[in-house]
Amino acid sequence: MQFQPPSDLRDPAVVIAFEGWNDAANAASDSVSLLDKRYPSRIIGRIDDERYYDFQAVRPEVRRAADGPWIVWPHTSLIHVEHPDRDLILAIGPEPSLLWRSYCAEFVRSIEQVSPSMVVLLGAMLSDTPHSRPLPVSTYSLDKPLQDRLLLNPPTYEGPTGILGVLNQAIITTGIPVASIWVQVPHYVATPPNPKAQLALLAQLEPVLGVTLDKHDLPETAEEWTRAVDELSQEDPDVAEYIEQLEEQKDASDVEGATGDTIAAEFERYLRGRGGSNGRT
């Protein structure tokens, strides 16, 4: 592991995404990559122990340079991003194939060196959600102060998990506050990129971090993506009918869930999000 933590970090937060099982349509990893591009950044470390990867499942890549070809091996990059309001440490790379407990222990040792005030895990899953409606985003945390500040519920999922679930547990044992944000991606348009899913993740990441994020032209790109899927779906009557059924189910579910308590909770969450965009609480 190579890691050179910067000094004099400003209230650093760690944002993590892994390509693979946790990353439908590459929505989570693309969101982290966008943050890397939008602000001054530099690579400060990498986890590239070959024991963590099955190279038949996660292939190395050949790159070309003036002096000849070279190999890029699967690894996790650690990137320092200088956001105007706080420093971010981004972690991005393919989901490791092997030795998850050893990998997570090495990962945690790395991020502990920057003394982060919080860690945020980003994920994306395929679901029966229609592309034409706002994509559902869920945020979870077992940290009570985070639950109170962001009106979050503790996670209730039980079943198979990916590296995010294992890493989440490893971080919790250190006492560092950690939250997970997951977006649901329509399964019938799972090919990346999915700018609408990226936008949904980043919009939820803002109140969690307490900052405003530069999304550049992502809102316009998301609208273009939605229109393109609309046009393609209309070319196949069966697909159009299926999407219409999903829309009806989604709308009915939203109406059923629109109780006074849920509306009040959403309104309070909105107000807190607005406050968080001007400064952390």
Side-chain angles (χ1 to χ4, degrees), residues 24-25 27 124-125 127-138 182-189 194-201 203-204 222 225-226 250 254:
M125 68 182 79
S127 76
D128 292 330
T129 190
H131 74 278
S132 53
R133 300 293 188 267
L135 301 183
V137 181
S138 301
W182 286 82
V183 64
Q184 296 183 35
V185 174
H187 68 86
Y188 55 89
V189 278
N194 189 320
K196 188 169 184 175
Q198 296 172 44
L199 185 63
L201 275 176
Q204 186 60 28
W225 178 87
T226 301
K250 173 63 175 172
D254 288 346

Side-chain angles (χ1 to χ4, degrees), residues 86-133:
R86 70 188 305 180
D87 285 299
L88 302 177
I89 305 298
L90 308 181
I92 185 172
E95 181 182 51
S97 311
L98 306 165
L99 299 176
W100 280 11
R101 284 183 283 191
S102 298
Y103 175 90
C104 288
E106 182 172 351
F107 191 104
V108 169
R109 285 196 298 271
S110 299
I111 65 172
E112 281 185 308
Q113 295 182 56
V114 302
S115 301
S117 59
M118 68 183 309
V119 174
V120 186
L121 307 168
L122 301 184
M125 68 182 79
L126 298 177
S127 76
D128 292 330
T129 190
H131 74 278
S132 53
R133 300 293 188 267

